[in-house]
Amino acid sequence: MLSGNHWGGPFEIHGDTATDDEHSRNIDLDPRAHSRRPELDQTQQSWLLGPQISSRRKDEYIDLGCFVCKRKLLWWVLGALFVAFVVIGLPIIITKSLPKHSSSPPPPDEYAMAIHKALLFFNAQKSGRLPKNNGITWRGDSGLNDGVGQTDLKHGLVGGYYDAGDNIKFNFPMAFSMSLLSWSVVEYSNKYRDLGEYDHIRDIIKWGTDYLLLTFNSSAATIDKIYVQVGAAKNGSTTPDDHYCWQRPEDMSYPRPVIAVTSGPDIAGEVAAALASASIVFRDNPTYSSRLITGATAAYNFARLQSHRTIYSLGNTEIANFYNSSGYWDEYMWSAAWMYYATGNSSYVTFATDPRLPKNANAFRSIPDLGVLSWDNKLPAAMLLWTRLRMFLNPGYPYEETLRGYFNATGLNMCANLRRFNVFNWTKGGMIELNHGRPQPLQYVVNTAFLANLYADYMDASKVPGWFCGPFYFSRDVLRSFASSQINYVIGDNPRKMSYVVGYGQNYPRHVHHRGASIPHNGVKYSCTGGWKWRDTRSPNPNNIIGAMVGGPDQFDGFSDVRTNYNYTEPTMAGNAGLVAALISLTNTGEAGIDKNTIFSSLPPFFPPASPPPPPWKP
């Protein structure tokens, strides 16, 4: 049987096989056979011509398995890939393989450079046993017997800061300074980190709060007294005290009395604010933060005692002549804010939004002087802190009515800072006269600049472009411009082209009213009156107290660089705290803006969580 053909029919073309074999054997012998070409049908032609066509296609196409493409196209694609690798890929590989170097940070702006110096002032003011890294070569241990054996507290009152150019420790402005510095860290911690000053500012705050914890029984639930001052002086005194004597702190040889009060809602409220605000700064140290909150609670409860509401300076001439308190309702509002942010206890916000508190504090009466932040008046700062709560968390009822009042009053305070409204006078050189031309104006200027720029940052963080002053609407940049213009005046943009911050720029005060800076650090211990020659000499101070912001110019932009005229040349703790806060808010070096959420991290939710869904229905 013949094998089958897949295309149909037998393989044979002719039926007579023998004849075919004979013919094929005789083809080579018969030359005529070449001329006899049999006619092929279409199928036979495909068999014969098919292999020849496939051979040509192999030259033009390449079978890649899943598809067939032209050989020329493939070479073009491969060539293009090779060129792309050389031009793009190879440089990337080389770049990735090179050692990585961190990009250089942007150069510090003028505010950042001033911050580094301004913080050094606090190192120069330290009392007690100084740490080895204090960095002020002309300072040493001092006040090591402060309060020792003079109080019912066994630990004494060693430590803290001297207030100004004298050697007295005034706890009221010291506590305010710690509150203000802590606030600046809470808002701008990332900026401090970027400037490399985060650990430094925390050390400064802790030096102050460690001392404040010594001024009362900070481990007790309730207290009945608080120590408010170490050292004393009387104007025109002829007996040795902290004013009559001109001695370095290390050489003090006169009595240093300790003053305590059994009624002090103002100073106790300020101490509570300082400790509570610092507890937020030190939340990464739970043990110390908890200790600060415990102390703050005791101080706050003492401040709120109904039977102890006489201002702390009343009847104390050693206090009233220097840091006399005008009231305590502002400290209530201020301390309640920090206690609330530190603990999350709703009783503090309930108290602060009780309509009777702003009424007693005259918060909504639009009195210009009450809108100026100082060591004595915390009202504008307290209202801004409560405005912060409304702007970012908007707690609503039952707090909204009072919070809206704080918000509106804060806006009016900001309006009063604008020159066009003539609320305050301005010097020809461009300084706002917040204390009406009286001496030592700069501490008020820097505090107000800080609040203005901070409020602008609050608006920026909450996506609010500006605020209303009556019918007028102003961009938040107006506040930034005001703040920067005032700080620029302080550091040199003034008619005298003088920086009022020692060590910043080339032209700054050289005769600062400061005992430690004016007496040579030469191993000689000068007596109480022996130091007078250094006070009265016209020579520059032998020790530059870097970073100290002096009292400042008069209402005519005039300044007298004379050591004996403390109105011009004496620095203070509270003034430098405001300067640091304003500078850190304004600097563009580092991460911009505020830390919006850290201050709220202890607060519970204002609204209860949604109820869980009901279980599925079952028949």
Side-chain angles (χ1 to χ4, degrees):
M1 178 180 292
L2 299 172
S3 60
N5 181 7
H6 296 291
W7 287 273
F11 282 113
E12 287 78 6
I13 298 176
H14 302 286
D16 192 351
T17 305
T19 307
D20 290 340
D21 289 342
E22 183 178 357
H23 171 71
S24 62
R25 285 193 296 269
N26 294 329
I27 281 180
D28 294 334
L29 300 177
D30 189 357
R32 291 174 297 177
H34 294 284
S35 62
R36 292 181 304 179
R37 298 180 179 176
E39 185 176 351
L40 301 177
D41 62 21
Q42 186 175 4
T43 300
Q44 291 170 327
Q45 289 179 9
S46 67
W47 291 350
L48 294 175
L49 298 177
Q52 296 175 6
I53 296 173
S54 297
S55 176
R56 289 195 301 270
R57 284 182 177 173
K58 283 182 181 180
D59 294 336
E60 298 178 6
Y61 294 87
I62 295 179
D63 188 352
L64 298 178
C66 57
F67 65 92
V68 177
C69 69
K70 288 187 176 183
R71 184 182 300 273
K72 185 179 296 185
L73 178 61
L74 178 62
W75 281 112
W76 272 105
V77 171
L78 292 176
L81 291 175
F82 177 75
V83 172
F85 172 76
V86 172
V87 174
I88 300 175
L90 195 58
I92 293 176
I93 294 173
I94 294 174
T95 302
K96 294 288 186 181
S97 63
L98 292 175
K100 294 182 179 180
H101 300 282
S102 58
S103 58
S104 300
D109 58 22
E110 58 185 355
Y111 304 130
M113 292 186 287
I115 288 171
H116 295 304
K117 297 183 182 297
L119 289 173
L120 291 175
F121 170 76
F122 296 93
N123 294 43
Q125 295 299 101
K126 284 182 179 178
S127 178
R129 197 172 299 279
L130 302 185
K132 293 181 179 180
N133 64 345
N134 193 49
I136 308 299
T137 57
W138 47 271
R139 281 302 322 280
D141 299 341
S142 64
L144 300 182
N145 294 317
D146 284 353
V148 176
Q150 298 175 267
T151 74
D152 56 335
L153 304 175
K154 297 180 181 179
H155 46 62
L157 294 170
V158 178
Y161 293 94
Y162 301 115
D163 175 66
D166 50 35
N167 299 331
I168 303 177
K169 294 189 289 195
F170 292 104
N171 297 357
F172 194 37
M174 188 193 308
F176 171 69
S177 301
M178 296 304 104
S179 302
L180 203 53
L181 291 178
S182 293
W183 191 8
S184 74
V185 175
V186 170
E187 301 286 9
Y188 300 106
S189 59
N190 288 328
K191 285 189 177 183
Y192 279 114
R193 286 189 178 93
D194 292 337
L195 291 174
E197 291 286 2
Y198 183 67
D199 291 337
H200 187 194
I201 185 71
R202 280 163 53 104
D203 286 343
I204 290 170
I205 294 169
K206 189 173 186 297
W207 191 268
T209 53
D210 282 350
Y211 170 78
L212 293 175
L213 289 170
L214 300 179
T215 61
F216 62 99
N217 188 358
S218 57
S219 61
T222 59
I223 60 175
D224 59 3
K225 70 167 66 172
I226 186 169
Y227 291 89
V228 300
Q229 187 170 316
V230 178
K234 293 183 179 179
N235 290 327
S237 173
T238 57
T239 58
D241 63 14
D242 277 279
H243 273 195
Y244 180 76
C245 297
W246 193 270
Q247 287 181 287
R248 299 173 67 244
E250 294 80 0
D251 300 333
M252 292 182 293
S253 58
Y254 46 84
R256 287 173 60 75
V258 173
I259 302 174
V261 297
T262 56
S263 177
D266 34 24
I267 190 167
E270 185 55 67
V271 169
L275 299 179
S277 57
S279 75
I280 301 175
V281 173
F282 291 100
R283 275 183 180 156
D284 59 343
N285 184 345
T287 301
Y288 188 62
S289 181
S290 177
R291 184 184 171 201
L292 291 170
I293 290 176
T294 300
T297 303
Y300 181 85
N301 291 338
F302 176 70
R304 293 282 292 125
L305 287 175
Q306 185 71 37
S307 58
H308 293 71
R309 294 192 179 176
T310 302
I311 59 175
Y312 90 110
S313 56
L314 186 65
N316 289 302
T317 56
E318 293 87 353
I319 301 172
N321 288 335
F322 305 102
Y323 287 102
N324 184 50
S325 175
S326 61
Y328 55 83
W329 293 104
D330 56 320
E331 277 85 17
Y332 276 178
M333 191 187 300
W334 171 244
S335 58
W338 284 117
M339 292 298 296
Y340 178 58
Y341 289 137
T343 67
N345 188 325
S346 62
S347 66
Y348 298 113
V349 67
T350 300
F351 169 66
T353 54
D354 186 314
R356 291 172 293 181
L357 177 57
K359 180 179 179 181
N360 289 330
N362 293 315
F364 303 151
R365 292 187 59 189
S366 299
I367 301 174
D369 286 355
L370 292 183
V372 179
L373 175 62
S374 71
W375 54 265
D376 181 41
N377 177 38
K378 289 77 178 201
L379 186 60
M383 291 195 295
L384 181 56
L385 269 180
W386 288 115
T387 293
R388 191 190 208 284
L389 179 69
R390 183 178 187 264
M391 291 179 72
F392 294 115
L393 298 187
N394 193 21
Y397 181 83
Y399 313 119
E400 168 60 18
E401 183 177 356
T402 302
L403 290 180
R404 185 174 66 249
Y406 292 150
F407 175 86
N408 292 336
T410 295
L412 291 176
N413 286 339
M414 299 301 161
C415 298
N417 295 330
L418 304 184
R419 196 167 189 171
R420 65 180 296 169
F421 295 118
N422 298 313
V423 176
F424 295 97
N425 291 330
W426 291 60
T427 68
K428 290 183 178 180
M431 181 186 72
I432 186 172
E433 297 181 40
L434 296 165
N435 66 336
H436 307 290
R438 290 190 289 269
Q440 302 177 348
L442 293 186
Q443 58 182 303
Y444 308 99
V445 169
V446 295
N447 288 345
T448 301
F450 168 61
L451 294 188
N453 200 67
L454 181 60
Y455 188 47
D457 279 343
Y458 286 174
M459 287 192 283
D460 187 44
S462 57
K463 310 301 182 185
V464 175
W467 87 110
F468 279 100
C469 292
F472 304 101
Y473 188 79
F474 294 100
S475 163
R476 58 180 179 251
D477 291 336
V478 172
L479 287 180
R480 299 195 193 283
S481 177
F482 163 78
S484 61
S485 70
Q486 295 306 295
I487 297 303
N488 290 345
Y489 182 100
V490 173
I491 62 177
D493 187 12
N494 53 66
R496 297 181 62 89
K497 303 303 178 185
M498 169 175 277
S499 167
Y500 294 112
V501 179
V502 177
Y504 183 84
Q506 299 299 318
N507 183 23
Y508 53 83
R510 308 282 178 166
H511 303 80
V512 178
H513 181 93
H514 192 275
R515 284 159 175 77
S518 64
I519 300 176
H521 176 53
N522 57 6
V524 177
K525 182 176 180 178
Y526 295 95
S527 66
C528 170
T529 57
W532 288 358
K533 69 176 182 179
W534 300 111
R535 178 195 65 187
D536 300 333
T537 181
R538 295 184 179 181
S539 301
N541 287 349
N543 310 306
N544 263 345
I545 182 165
I546 301 297
M549 184 185 74
V550 297
D554 57 29
Q555 58 186 320
F556 305 107
D557 299 305
F559 181 80
S560 181
D561 188 8
V562 179
R563 191 177 297 108
T564 53
N565 195 333
Y566 58 86
N567 284 331
Y568 288 111
T569 59
E570 187 172 23
T572 63
M573 282 277 293
N576 256 73
L579 173 66
V580 169
L583 288 170
I584 197 67
S585 75
L586 283 167
T587 181
N588 291 319
T589 303
E591 185 174 332
I594 61 167
D595 180 342
K596 187 167 68 172
N597 297 317
T598 294
I599 196 173
F600 299 135
S601 58
S602 291
L603 303 191
F606 286 104
F607 309 104
S611 302
W617 180 82
K618 294 182 180 179

